[in-house]
Amino acid sequence: MDALTRRKFLLASGVVGGSAIAAGVGGLGLADLLRTAGDASASEDHRKTRKLVIVTLYGGNDGLNTVVPYADSAYYAARPELAYEPDRVLRIDDSLGLNPVMKGLSRLWSERRLAVVLGTGYPKPDRSHFRSMDIWQTASPSGPANSGWVGRWLDGIKAAPEAAVSFEPMLPPLLVGETRTGACVSIGGLKLPAGVTTEMIGVLGRREPNESEMQARAADAYANLIKIDQLIRDAEAVDAGADAPAEPDIAATGTGGANLLSEQLSRVAQCVEAGVPTHVYSVSLGGFDTHAAERPGHELLLRQLDQALASFAGRLAQTEAGQRVTVVVYSEFGRRVRANASDGTDHGTAGPVFVLGPQVAGGLYGEQPSLTDLDDGDLKATTDFRDVFGTLLALVLDADPARYLGGGYEPKMLPFLARD
């Protein structure tokens, strides 16, 4: 069966993950990933290597109700039904406070392990979910790019697939380069439509004589797809008996991130502790497109985020390997300053970015945008997102930021990380 027939079969059958496989992206099971830890000396080296965990909040998180400008009267005037009273917020200085449900991050703030980068965005903002997310993941605000900023780094170091791993249902553009890609380890596992079996997929995954390299890679991708099926059993074995709080299941909005964040971060922690040679992990949480009745749903999502991050941070602090992990949390845009008629908020622009971990110098970075000096009702970004990613490239991945950020952007280094 040639590659074209394989592709037609995949698309017609509706196998979940089809678009990723058609693009030549490989899948790994958790057991496969853990086996990459290899010999003891190599594992020990990777336990001492800095790691980056990228958390994407899909849908456009309302930054003003996440980091609340409780001392600004313009905040209450613009959204009287959505605003949080000053005595409810978890204050981080004399003008800003965290959402009341974010008690875990408030504790990390008090321990100086949480940095908040204010007013983060990009020039000429776009309110489309998909275009804005594309800009953040490719670090190319000036026009479309064929690779993500982490993917370009993978190209540059000629990395193996396990150098960057996504625990999401699909490999995000963030981890796709021109010649290298990361690996996708979906917690949801393989979902096949009625009438399609793993044996059938296995036949499609067999290499055939005289195939071209691209056809052979397509066959390998089908073979790798089956490995994901094992992930479910691996994940259940990992978590058996774990005493962790249950999280509510919140549906995403079609912009990604359907998996529960705590489960994804649990897999990351296991890989870090095992000495897996992965430098970058990508995880996500969706559902932040809060156009109506925002308060209850947004609080539920922020509680999920807070509990997952606080638990992960606590686990990191217990091991030498965990001490080398830095987490960055972002969303594709913030929301409008003024509430809409449905007690929600519409697509906006700039918002806060969180950076946390044992090596983070906690505090506020950048400038809180004005709520009265607006751009057509939107916040004006005060920090370019490439300054955040550039700092992480330089200090976590030991790379030249200008080489991997779109358009040769020269980022300003932000002092939220300690140097070795």
Side-chain angles (χ1 to χ4, degrees), residues 218-253:
D220 290 344
Y222 283 97
N224 287 337
L225 188 63
I226 299 175
K227 296 178 182 178
I228 301 175
D229 206 28
Q230 183 63 40
L231 173 64
I232 298 174
R233 291 187 290 274
D234 295 336
E236 289 175 347
V238 169
D239 278 353
D243 185 17
E247 289 187 302
D249 189 3
I250 301 176
T253 62

Side-chain angles (χ1 to χ4, degrees), residues 29-376:
L30 183 59
D32 300 300
L33 186 59
L34 290 171
R35 277 193 289 271
T36 65
D39 62 71
S41 61
S43 296
E44 186 60 28
D45 287 343
H46 281 286
R47 290 189 185 97
K48 296 178 180 178
T49 302
R50 286 195 176 199
K51 313 281 186 179
L52 177 62
V53 180
I54 302 171
V55 181
T56 301
L57 306 181
Y58 285 104
N61 178 43
D62 184 0
L64 290 176
N65 272 12
T66 302
V67 178
V68 181
Y70 69 87
D72 193 335
S73 60
Y75 167 68
Y76 299 97
R79 42 172 70 188
E81 301 300 323
L82 293 181
Y84 286 93
E85 300 81 1
D87 60 350
R88 289 200 60 206
V89 302
L90 305 171
R91 299 187 183 193
I92 58 178
D93 73 358
D94 58 4
S95 62
L96 298 171
L98 297 175
N99 187 286
V101 305
M102 303 179 77
K103 294 179 173 60
L105 289 186
S106 177
R107 184 175 64 256
L108 292 176
W109 173 269
S110 67
E111 296 169 354
R112 304 291 295 174
R113 289 192 287 158
L114 172 66
V116 181
V117 186
L118 300 168
T120 310
Y122 57 86
K124 298 179 181 179
D126 192 306
R127 295 189 186 94
S128 161
H129 287 294
F130 301 102
R131 176 63 189 135
S132 189
M133 186 55 70
D134 181 67
I135 288 170
W136 276 86
Q137 296 207 4
T138 64
S140 179
S142 59
N146 296 324
S147 57
W149 64 271
V150 174
R152 291 193 287 274
W153 172 75
L154 294 173
D155 289 342
I157 66 169
K158 297 180 173 55
E162 63 267 17
V165 169
S166 167
F167 282 101
E168 302 166 86
M170 299 282 288
L171 192 75
L174 173 71
L175 304 189
V176 177
E178 295 282 355
T179 61
R180 296 290 195 278
T181 63
C184 186
V185 184
S186 175
I187 290 175
L190 178 63
K191 295 182 177 66
L192 296 176
V196 178
T197 66
T198 55
E199 288 75 16
M200 295 168 65
I201 300 296
V203 172
L204 297 175
R206 295 174 186 166
R207 287 196 177 206
E208 297 179 1
N210 303 318
E211 281 193 317
S212 69
E213 179 60 25
M214 287 301 293
Q215 289 173 326
R217 286 181 62 190
D220 290 344
Y222 283 97
N224 287 337
L225 188 63
I226 299 175
K227 296 178 182 178
I228 301 175
D229 206 28
Q230 183 63 40
L231 173 64
I232 298 174
R233 291 187 290 274
D234 295 336
E236 289 175 347
V238 169
D239 278 353
D243 185 17
E247 289 187 302
D249 189 3
I250 301 176
T253 62
T255 50
N259 285 340
L260 289 177
L261 182 59
S262 62
E263 293 182 14
Q264 297 173 61
L265 289 175
S266 175
R267 305 307 181 270
V268 172
Q270 185 187 7
C271 291
V272 169
E273 292 159 1
V276 167
T278 298
H279 295 272
V280 180
Y281 294 93
S282 177
V283 298
S284 65
L285 179 66
F288 287 87
D289 199 14
T290 51
H291 286 282
E294 177 180 314
R295 279 275 289 261
H298 191 230
E299 287 184 1
L300 203 56
L301 287 164
L302 290 183
R303 187 176 288 109
Q304 275 193 290
L305 175 67
D306 181 75
Q307 291 174 349
L309 291 175
S311 176
F312 184 60
R315 184 167 175 176
L316 293 180
Q318 297 176 25
T319 64
E320 180 184 4
Q323 295 283 331
R324 309 288 288 172
V325 177
T326 298
V327 183
V328 60
V329 185
Y330 78 97
S331 191
E332 68 261 39
F333 45 61
R335 315 297 293 187
R336 301 279 281 181
V337 174
R338 187 167 296 279
N340 61 30
S342 301
D343 290 334
T345 51
D346 298 324
H347 301 176
T349 53
V353 167
F354 294 143
V355 187
L356 59 128
Q359 298 189 326
V360 169
L364 293 173
Y365 296 86
E367 180 183 349
Q368 177 69 9
S370 170
L371 297 186
T372 54
D373 180 16
L374 303 175
D375 180 11
D376 190 26

